[in-house]
């Protein structure tokens, strides 16, 4: 399954929310430095879909705010 996620780093709390229009928004406490936000995003998506972290990957947008995430 592939889906697009809009990432908002340096938030007060971490959460993954599906918006009313069907898009996903991830609020992350980590800063976008040295891949910390991407690692937190993978953990957050894995926990939300109850999959291991190894089943989640970022297919595109690793350095941007809009990412395509793949969950096996």
């Amino acid at each position: 399954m592939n889906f697009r996620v809009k990432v908002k780093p340096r938030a007060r709390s971490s959460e993954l929310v599906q918006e009313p229009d069907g898009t996903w928004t991830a609020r992350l406490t980590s800063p976008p430095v040295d891949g910390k936000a991407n690692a937190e995003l993978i953990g957050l998506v894995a926990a939300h879909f109850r999959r291991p972290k190894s089943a989640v990957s970022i297919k595109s947008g690793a350095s941007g705010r809009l990412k395509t995430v793949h969950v096996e």
Side-chain angles (χ1 to χ4, degrees):
M1 168 170 105
N2 290 328
F3 59 96
R4 306 277 287 175
V5 179
K6 185 174 183 179
V7 176
K8 296 183 178 180
R10 294 188 177 123
R12 289 182 185 216
S13 62
S14 295
E15 62 182 346
L16 182 64
V17 179
Q18 188 171 18
E19 301 298 333
D21 63 354
T23 61
W24 290 87
T25 301
R27 292 175 183 87
L28 307 173
T29 57
S30 299
V33 178
D34 297 331
K36 291 179 185 179
N38 286 341
E40 184 179 350
L41 176 64
I42 288 172
L44 193 62
V45 170
H48 181 80
F49 290 105
R50 295 185 177 135
R51 305 290 298 156
K53 287 181 184 179
S54 60
V56 179
S57 61
I58 297 173
K59 290 296 178 189
S60 67
S63 62
R65 288 183 187 243
L66 192 59
K67 302 176 187 303
T68 301
V69 177
H70 176 74
V71 179
E72 292 180 15

